[in-house]
Amino acid sequence: MTDRIALFIDGANLHTTVKHLGFEIDFRRLLAEFSKHGQLVRAYFYTVVRDDDEFSSLRPLVDWLDYNGYSVRRKAAKQHDDGEGRRRMKRSIGIDLAVDAMEIAHRIDHAFLFSGDGDLRAVVEAVRRMGVRVTVVSSIRTKPPMIADELRRHADVFVELDSLRASIERPPHPIAPE
């Protein structure tokens, strides 16, 4: 039997993790790699954008993902006062990811979560109770580790992101001759 799978990618968390590991993701290769694990039902990519980020460096990536097989979920960053008079940006995609995971859980057998955020532990537990296997993809090789211990403990399987490097790394850009 072929597993029906879904990917849930916390864009900011993944970006930070691969930056610490010293490589970049080729999102076309990532889809191809995980399509080998079964029938890919959906690949979600979550990102937080500021209202003034209309022309940010993230936009080309998000546009490319939108046109190439990813369901991109953009969320506006919220500004708040931190209690000491400083303005802070709240950048959380947890609720959006949780809603998507619960809505699709009855249509998949295996969920791959690309995040190390411990706040997602409850989502992992809920989806597992629905009979879905959950694999968390993050890193313990970074200093400090990018995966929260409680998230790792509640997943069925933990995959070290660095072990996927050969199959999902973006090839280096060719250098133009001088």
Side-chain angles (χ1 to χ4, degrees):
M1 180 176 139
T2 301
D3 277 353
R4 296 166 300 163
I5 65 171
L7 309 181
F8 298 88
I9 302 168
D10 176 345
N13 193 282
L14 179 63
H15 172 76
T16 302
T17 304
V18 296
K19 185 177 176 183
H20 280 85
L21 292 170
F23 73 99
E24 291 182 33
I25 299 281
D26 180 324
F27 286 95
R28 181 173 285 131
R29 292 182 74 197
L30 185 131
L31 273 186
E33 177 62 27
F34 282 87
S35 292
K36 295 175 188 174
H37 294 273
Q39 176 194 353
L40 184 59
V41 175
R42 185 92 55 210
Y44 296 99
F45 183 90
Y46 302 88
T47 187
V48 177
V49 293
R50 293 189 338 215
D51 290 334
D52 59 350
D53 276 355
E54 180 66 24
F55 298 103
S56 77
S57 60
L58 185 63
R59 179 146 187 164
L61 171 63
V62 169
D63 286 346
W64 186 92
L65 293 170
D66 245 346
Y67 285 106
N68 288 279
Y70 289 85
S71 295
V72 176
R73 302 290 197 247
R74 294 172 189 85
K75 185 173 184 178
K78 306 279 190 222
Q79 285 193 20
H80 65 92
D81 188 309
D82 70 357
E84 296 179 14
R86 293 181 298 239
R87 300 295 294 164
R88 298 283 185 194
M89 298 296 283
K90 184 176 182 183
R91 302 172 184 256
S92 175
I93 52 86
I95 296 296
D96 301 78
L97 191 149
V99 169
D100 287 339
M102 297 306 288
E103 285 181 345
I104 201 171
H106 70 283
R107 295 182 30 222
I108 62 172
D109 305 301
H110 198 157
F112 290 86
L113 173 62
F114 289 76
S115 183
D117 187 344
D119 290 343
L120 298 174
R121 177 190 54 81
V123 177
V124 169
E125 290 176 329
V127 171
R128 287 185 66 210
R129 282 192 303 270
M130 297 174 78
V132 176
R133 285 187 321 283
V134 178
T135 296
V136 173
V137 182
S138 188
S139 184
I140 58 174
R141 293 183 184 164
T142 57
K143 301 287 188 239
M146 289 300 295
I147 179 127
D149 192 50
E150 66 270 16
L151 182 63
R152 186 173 170 210
R153 289 177 189 270
H154 285 87
D156 291 299
V157 176
F158 167 74
V159 172
E160 170 59 49
L161 184 61
D162 201 34
S163 71
L164 298 171
R165 182 187 295 231
S167 57
I168 66 170
E169 183 174 20
R170 185 170 146 193
H173 297 294
I175 298 174
E178 291 183 30

